[in-house]
């Protein structure tokens, strides 16, 4: 029996001798390398030296382009972090200054996070392109490498769909500033205070102290109770036969006193509280509504203070609350 010997297939990755021969044989269609060969009067060793110089030039250009890209990204990030105030139309108080400071810090954190992601992407794209160009210059076939990377990318994409979904959702969440650390949010699955935000998960702590880890890709809606400002309001039910103008005037005095209180006006309340008037009416009671715009997450504190002051004012005027 005769065995047919199969010819040995050439290795797709050349050895060092093949690399040297390939670089010394010529520059092919590379205009840069050919220009260097011309500078050396087309000597025998010119293609090898020209190839080395071309590779060094490619690496240097890649490093310079990477530095320029990172500098541009940093400049854009700094400009985004120093955005304009959204409370410019409100009366300037310590409260509005606090809102501006909070928003500026959040804007800065969001911009820095996105800048870090963009810098990494720019580095990968630029240096990856440079490496492929150098490999091609070394006569190493990059087609099998690109094919392998493409197949690996498809496999990872199918195996990590949820992970990719979480990362994309996290990037858009940071870019749009949907919420940040310290915000009280409602994600549907849990309600609580944000303790940490990453590109993959959001960590919440609810009122009972439980910690929730929610993947960003599973969050379809977010209710943020701490962004910009909050509103505190209370309903005051009085008897149906109560004097409406008198009750309204009494509530206005209460709101004016609260607005004049330095402890609240300068650090908690953003605008002067308002008495909306009759909110509801029935055969047994008339309900007035009092509202106040506050700093984020301060609405409960202001509402409690309003209830105390309204109760004291109604007791002093001899007006009973309806059942």
């Amino acid at each position: 029996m005769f065995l047919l010997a199969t010819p040995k297939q050439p290795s797709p990755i050349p050895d060092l001798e093949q690399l040297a021969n390939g670089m010394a044989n010529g520059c092919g269609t590379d205009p840069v390398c050919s220009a260097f060969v011309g500078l050396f009067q087309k000597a025998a060793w010119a293609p090898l030296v020209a190839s080395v110089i071309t590779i060094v030039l490619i690496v240097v250009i890649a490093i310079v382009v990477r530095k320029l890209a990172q500098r541009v990204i940093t400049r854009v990030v700094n400009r985004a972090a120093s955005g304009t105030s959204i409370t410019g139309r409100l009366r300037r108080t310590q409260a509005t200054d606090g809102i501006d400071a909070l928003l500026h810090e959040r804007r800065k954190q969001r911009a820095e996070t996105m800048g870090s992601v963009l810098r990494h992407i720019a580095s990968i794209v630029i240096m990856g392109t440079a490496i492929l160009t150098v490999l091609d210059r070394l006569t190493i076939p990059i087609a099998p490498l690109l094919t392998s990377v493409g197949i690996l990318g498809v496999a990872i994409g199918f195996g990590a769909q949820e992970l990719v979904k979480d990362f994309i959702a996290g990037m858009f969440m940071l870019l749009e500033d949907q919420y940040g650390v310290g915000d009280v949010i409602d994600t549907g699955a849990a309600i609580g205070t944000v303790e940490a935000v990453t590109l993959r998960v959001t960590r919440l702590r609810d009122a009972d102290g439980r910690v929730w880890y929610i993947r960003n890709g599973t969050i379809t809606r977010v209710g943020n109770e701490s962004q910009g400002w909050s509103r505190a309001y209370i309903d005051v039910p009085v008897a149906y036969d109560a004097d409406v103008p008198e009750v309204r005037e009494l509530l206005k005095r209460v709101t004016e006193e609260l607005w004049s209180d330095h402890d609240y006006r300068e650090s908690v309340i953003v605008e002067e509280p308002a008495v909306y008037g009759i909110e509801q009416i029935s055969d047994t009671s008339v309900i007035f509504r009092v509202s106040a715009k506050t700093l984020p997450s301060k609405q409960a504190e202001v509402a409690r203070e309003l209830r105390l002051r309204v109760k004291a004012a109604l007791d002093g005027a001899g007006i009973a609350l309806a059942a």
Side-chain angles (χ1 to χ4, degrees):
M1 177 182 292
F2 295 97
L3 297 177
L4 297 177
T6 58
K8 184 179 180 180
Q9 298 294 329
S11 175
I13 301 178
D15 54 24
L16 294 179
E17 183 179 356
Q18 291 175 324
L19 291 179
N21 292 334
M23 294 172 63
N25 285 336
C27 296
T29 59
D30 190 341
V32 177
C33 184
S34 300
F36 284 121
V37 172
L39 291 178
F40 298 120
Q41 284 78 36
K42 298 183 179 180
W45 46 266
L48 178 61
V49 175
S51 297
V52 173
I53 295 177
T54 304
I55 292 173
V56 173
L57 187 61
I58 291 172
V59 174
V60 171
I61 292 177
I63 294 175
V64 172
V65 172
R66 177 174 172 268
K67 290 290 185 181
L68 291 176
Q70 290 188 344
R71 180 170 298 181
V72 171
I73 293 173
T74 301
R75 181 171 299 179
V76 173
V77 166
N78 292 337
R79 182 172 299 179
S82 59
T84 58
S85 168
I86 68 169
T87 60
R89 291 178 295 179
L90 300 177
R91 180 184 179 274
R92 302 306 302 175
T93 64
Q94 184 178 344
T96 56
D97 291 341
I99 293 179
D100 283 344
L102 178 63
L103 293 178
H104 174 73
E105 184 63 26
R106 288 183 49 167
R107 204 162 42 231
K108 181 180 178 181
Q109 292 177 357
R110 183 176 74 255
E112 289 178 350
T113 302
M114 295 306 302
S116 176
V117 173
L118 292 176
R119 279 190 287 267
H120 280 86
I121 293 176
S123 298
I124 292 173
V125 171
I126 295 171
M127 300 310 296
T129 303
I131 291 174
L132 292 177
T133 306
V134 170
L135 292 178
D136 183 61
R137 182 62 263 165
L138 294 174
T139 68
I140 298 177
I142 62 175
L145 178 62
L146 293 177
T147 303
S148 302
V149 171
I151 296 174
L152 181 62
V154 172
I156 293 176
F158 278 108
Q161 295 182 53
E162 297 298 330
L163 182 62
V164 174
K165 182 180 178 182
D166 294 340
F167 270 78
I168 294 176
M171 287 187 62
F172 277 103
M173 179 273 298
L174 291 171
L175 183 65
E176 297 169 357
D177 191 25
Q178 297 176 10
Y179 54 85
V181 175
D183 287 356
V184 179
I185 64 173
D186 178 2
T187 63
I191 302 175
T193 303
V194 179
E195 290 191 339
V197 180
T198 66
L199 288 178
R200 195 180 73 86
V201 297
T202 296
R203 189 174 77 227
L204 300 180
R205 186 178 297 274
D206 63 16
D208 296 330
R210 284 189 296 266
V211 178
W212 296 78
Y213 294 88
I214 306 173
R215 291 188 6 245
N216 294 328
T218 63
I219 301 176
T220 58
R221 65 168 180 83
V222 177
N224 195 328
E225 301 180 8
S226 308
Q227 203 166 48
W229 50 269
S230 299
R231 187 178 296 279
Y233 66 87
I234 63 171
D235 291 334
V236 183
V238 297
Y240 181 82
D241 57 355
D243 189 342
V244 172
E246 180 183 359
V247 175
R248 183 181 176 87
E249 186 64 28
L250 184 144
L251 294 177
K252 289 184 66 176
R253 288 199 303 268
V254 171
T255 57
E256 290 173 357
E257 291 174 358
L258 182 63
W259 180 241
S260 301
D261 192 328
H262 179 79
D263 294 336
Y264 287 90
R265 178 171 180 172
E266 296 299 330
S267 60
V268 179
I269 302 177
V270 176
E271 290 182 351
E272 183 176 0
V275 179
Y276 287 159
I278 298 177
E279 183 70 18
Q280 297 180 23
I281 188 170
S282 67
D283 57 346
T284 59
S285 65
V286 177
I287 299 178
F288 292 82
R289 174 162 291 184
V290 181
S291 172
K293 185 180 290 187
T294 72
L295 286 178
S297 302
K298 295 293 185 179
Q299 66 271 27
E301 176 184 348
V302 175
R304 286 191 291 267
E305 183 65 21
L306 277 172
R307 292 189 189 98
L308 289 174
R309 293 174 182 253
V310 167
K311 174 66 169 56
L314 291 177
D315 290 345
I319 301 175
L321 292 172

